[in-house]
Each structure stands twice: as structure tokens, then as C-alpha cells.
Amino acid sequence: MKKFAMWSMVLFLLFALTGCGECEHEYDNGIISKETTCTEEGEKTFTCSLCGEIKTESVAKKEHTYKEKITKESTYTEKGEKTFSCMDCNDSYTEEISVLDAEPYNQNIYKQMTKFCDEGDYINALIVGRDALPSSGETQIKINELSKEIVTSQKEYINNQIQSAIENSDYEALDTLYYNKRWGAYVKFSSEQEWIYQTMHDLQGEYTYSESTDSNTQVRINGFNLEMGDKEYILHTKFISPYEWMPEYRDLRLVFEGGSIEEIRTGLIAIQFDDGTSIRCESDAGKQWKEKQEQKEEEKRQAEEKEKQEYLANEPKIGMTADEVKASNWGSPEKINKTTYEWGVTEQWCYPNYKYIYFEDGIVTAIQE
């Protein structure tokens, strides 16, 4: 009986210590053991209140928190771009922004054109029409049709305006009239008017003094306006005959109060003042032109040097045959003196400036210069 009791106690203790099966875990609500980000999953840890067992579960990544920014403004002709950047990581993406709608803008242009036409101010109607934005809309077509109608129906008025624009130093009007030559022969520039327009067109831009190292703009030609520092002048056209013996020859000058401007070449000008002083100026176009000229000169020099080296490399040499000498830079001789011996034949080829080549049995053995 005592043995039975003892074994019962042992079995009871074993049962108490090991249990009769798996624990029915009762986990707590868990704690975050690893924070989530928008690039990595997090982790949550749960602990059993009965046996202390621990388990973990992954926590899904957070959504990106994007901040948007316009990185390229859209225009009436080009799409813009919007960039979305995550505030927590380097993730980003872009979206296109549609081009601006030109139709409302062009509708306003068309209204202004019709208003000027009603007032008989056709030149300003054409000037306003040039500001129309490229568009596939109906208003763009209407603007083009109205511009063409003005040019074709008001030929005398339009052509009188060409000379008026020159006399009044109105470059905007002159440039607009030249632009409207696209409608055919209705807008007629004389050879002198064409000369004036092309000269003014080529002179437009900003210039710096050629002798100065200061890179800031010092001279600006905007239309017929000449700006030098804080002074501004109006340019006027003037034809002169520089040669008394050839009065029919005329040259174009641009004059202003206190001096004149001469175009040396596109992008390079000289300004002559009435007090005898002068300055030379150049624009970016002039610098590019000068660089191209210098490049051409360098290419010419290199080509000449290469030709010279090739010429020198092709001089007659000891051991050449007669055909090889003829193909050299000496070419064929003016005269050949031939002597026949028992042992063979010698030749003396005579060249200008007392130069000679000597052969023995058809091979060069000596050269005299």
C-alpha cells in the first residue's frame, strides 16, 4: 500500500511538471518590437501569459507620404512636369502636366484685331496677330485668315506703312510687315527697304566692348533703340555716297544724336561718335563668328602643314626606281643624260635650279641639290 501511494505521488509530480499536452497559449496584445517604414516591414512581439512563449508577426510597410512640386511649368506649346517625392525616403515619381489651353488667349487676340480693323488701324491689327499662340484651335485659323485679308485688301496702305515704319524708327511694325510677306507678293519691300530691314534684323542683341574684359552687357540694340549704359538713343537710317567719283554707289549708315553705328559684320559693330572717339563691340553671335573664322584658319593651316609634310615625305630617295622618282615631288626631269659602260648604264636626270639625280642600271645612287 505504501508503494502504491509513493508511485502515485511520483506520477502526480510528473504530471504537474510536464503537463498532459500542449499549452493553450493566451497571448497578450503584443508590442511593436521594430517600427515599420515605407521601405521595410516592421515587427510585433506577442507573449503567452501561461507559459511565457514568444511569437512575432510582421507588420506591413507604411504607405509613402508624398509631397508634390511643380518641377517644370507647362506652357502653351510644351507639357509641364510635376514631381512627387516621399518625405520619409528617396522614392519619387513624375507626372506630366498638360499644355496650357491657348484658345482663350487667342480669342482675346482675335477680339483686339477686329477692334483695330474697325478703327482702320490695320498695322496694329497685324502686330497684335503675331502674338497669337500656336494652336490647333479654330481661333488660330481665324487670326491667320484675318491677317491675310488685311494684307490682300489693304495693299496700298500696307506698302505705305513700310516706309513709314522706317522713317519713324518703328522696328515692331517693320518686322511685322516683313513677317506678313508670307502671304505672297502683296507686301512689297524695295531693295533699299529690304536692305534696311535685314541690317536692323542682324544687329538686334546685346554687345560688350571688344577691348574690355568686363563681361556685362554694355550696348544693347533693341529695335531702333540703342542703349549704352544709362543712355538711350533712337537710330535713324541714312544712305550716303562715300565716293565722289562713284555717286551712284550708296552705303547704309545708322545715325543717332551724337554719332553713328556701322555694321562690320553680323555680331560685330563699330560706333563712331561725333567727337572723334569710337568703340568696337561684339555680341555672342559675333564671338561665335570669330571663333568659326579662327577655326577655319587653323584647319587651313593644319591642311597646309599636312600637305607640306606629305610633299617632303615624297622626295626622291636613294634606291628608288625611275618610276618611283617620277611619282615623287620632283616628277619627270627636263633632260636625261645617258652613258653606257661595259658593266652597265648610268643616267643623269636634270631638274631646274641645278638639281640632279643619278641612276645606275635604273636605281638611284646619288642625288644632287
Side-chain angles (χ1 to χ4, degrees):
M1 189 70 179
K2 289 182 179 179
K3 289 184 177 180
F4 176 78
M6 184 181 67
W7 283 109
S8 296
M9 182 61 69
V10 171
L11 291 172
F12 175 78
L13 291 172
L14 288 172
F15 178 82
L17 292 171
T18 62
C20 61
E22 295 183 0
C23 176
E24 294 184 2
H25 300 299
E26 293 183 6
Y27 291 104
D28 59 15
N29 293 329
I31 59 172
I32 299 298
S33 53
K34 181 184 177 182
E35 294 289 342
T36 60
T37 67
C38 51
T39 58
E40 291 185 351
E41 292 181 339
E43 190 176 82
K44 193 171 187 179
T45 301
F46 300 86
T47 304
C48 176
S49 60
L50 299 177
C51 67
E53 182 174 318
I54 295 173
K55 72 171 184 177
T56 60
E57 291 181 359
S58 61
V59 182
K61 291 185 291 186
K62 293 195 302 185
E63 295 290 330
H64 292 290
T65 305
Y66 289 109
K67 181 180 180 181
E68 65 179 70
K69 180 181 179 181
I70 303 296
T71 48
K72 181 183 177 183
E73 296 285 351
S74 57
T75 67
Y76 291 101
T77 56
E78 291 186 2
K79 293 181 179 180
E81 187 177 82
K82 183 187 292 186
T83 300
F84 296 82
S85 303
C86 179
M87 299 173 65
D88 301 315
C89 70
N90 294 325
D91 189 72
S92 66
Y93 67 94
T94 59
E95 289 182 357
E96 282 188 342
I97 306 175
S98 300
V99 296
L100 301 178
D101 184 9
E103 193 65 11
Y105 181 89
N106 284 346
Q107 287 172 358
N108 183 50
I109 291 290
Y110 185 70
K111 287 180 182 177
Q112 293 180 58
M113 289 184 70
T114 53
K115 180 177 180 295
F116 280 124
C117 286
D118 292 342
E119 297 171 354
D121 191 355
Y122 301 108
I123 185 65
N124 272 317
L126 292 175
I127 290 173
V128 169
R130 282 196 69 181
D131 292 334
L133 297 167
S135 170
S136 57
E138 294 181 1
T139 308
Q140 175 70 69
I141 298 173
K142 292 167 67 176
I143 289 171
N144 287 338
E145 289 176 346
L146 181 55
S147 296
K148 185 176 181 179
E149 181 184 344
I150 293 171
V151 169
T152 54
S153 64
Q154 304 294 329
K155 290 182 286 187
E156 184 177 354
Y157 167 87
I158 292 297
N159 289 300
N160 287 338
Q161 289 298 312
I162 297 173
Q163 189 58 35
S164 176
I166 292 172
E167 292 173 356
N168 295 317
S169 298
D170 188 347
Y171 183 78
E172 185 178 30
L174 185 64
D175 190 43
T176 299
L177 289 163
Y178 196 86
Y179 172 78
N180 278 279
K181 287 178 65 178
R182 61 189 175 137
W183 303 121
Y186 303 105
V187 181
K188 295 182 179 179
F189 276 65
S190 68
S191 58
E192 285 190 354
Q193 290 170 342
E194 179 102 17
W195 186 1
I196 291 170
Y197 171 76
Q198 291 297 343
T199 298
M200 294 307 304
H201 180 270
D202 292 343
L203 284 175
Q204 300 301 299
E206 299 178 341
Y207 298 77
T208 55
Y209 299 152
S210 302
E211 295 82 5
S212 172
T213 57
D214 185 359
S215 60
N216 294 327
T217 300
Q218 295 162 315
V219 174
R220 178 183 290 107
I221 298 178
N222 180 21
F224 279 90
N225 293 333
L226 170 64
E227 301 171 20
M228 290 187 290
D230 58 352
K231 296 181 179 179
E232 186 172 334
Y233 305 90
I234 302 298
L235 294 171
H236 301 279
T237 60
K238 180 181 180 181
F239 283 96
I240 63 172
S241 298
Y243 307 114
E244 294 183 2
W245 50 273
M246 194 167 59
E248 69 278 6
Y249 175 80
R250 305 179 73 199
D251 197 5
L252 175 62
R253 290 286 184 274
L254 297 170
V255 298
F256 59 93
E257 184 180 355
S260 63
I261 181 172
E262 302 176 10
E263 181 186 7
I264 301 173
R265 59 182 68 90
T266 301
L268 297 170
I269 59 175
I271 300 176
Q272 183 72 40
F273 297 98
D274 292 344
D275 62 5
T277 60
S278 64
I279 57 173
R280 292 171 59 85
C281 310
E282 61 183 350
S283 65
D284 287 342
K287 292 174 183 176
Q288 292 170 7
W289 182 90
K290 188 162 64 174
E291 288 173 0
K292 287 182 180 178
Q293 292 301 111
E294 291 173 352
Q295 183 179 353
K296 286 181 180 178
E297 289 296 322
E298 178 60 20
E299 289 174 353
K300 181 181 178 182
R301 187 195 66 77
Q302 291 180 1
E304 290 175 347
E305 180 63 24
K306 181 181 178 182
E307 184 178 349
K308 177 182 177 182
Q309 294 302 323
E310 290 175 348
Y311 179 85
L312 294 175
N314 196 31
E315 287 192 331
K317 297 179 178 62
I318 302 297
M320 278 187 172
T321 66
D323 288 339
E324 288 173 335
V325 171
K326 289 178 181 178
S328 73
N329 54 31
W330 284 30
S332 298
E334 291 183 339
K335 179 182 178 183
I336 296 177
N337 296 320
K338 183 176 179 181
T339 305
T340 303
Y341 299 93
E342 289 183 2
W343 46 267
V345 177
T346 64
E347 290 183 357
Q348 180 194 49
W349 286 20
C350 304
Y351 290 87
N353 300 321
Y354 304 103
K355 297 196 296 185
Y356 304 93
I357 296 179
Y358 298 91
F359 291 83
E360 289 186 8
D361 292 329
I363 301 299
V364 177
T365 58
I367 300 173
Q368 179 182 336
E369 297 185 55

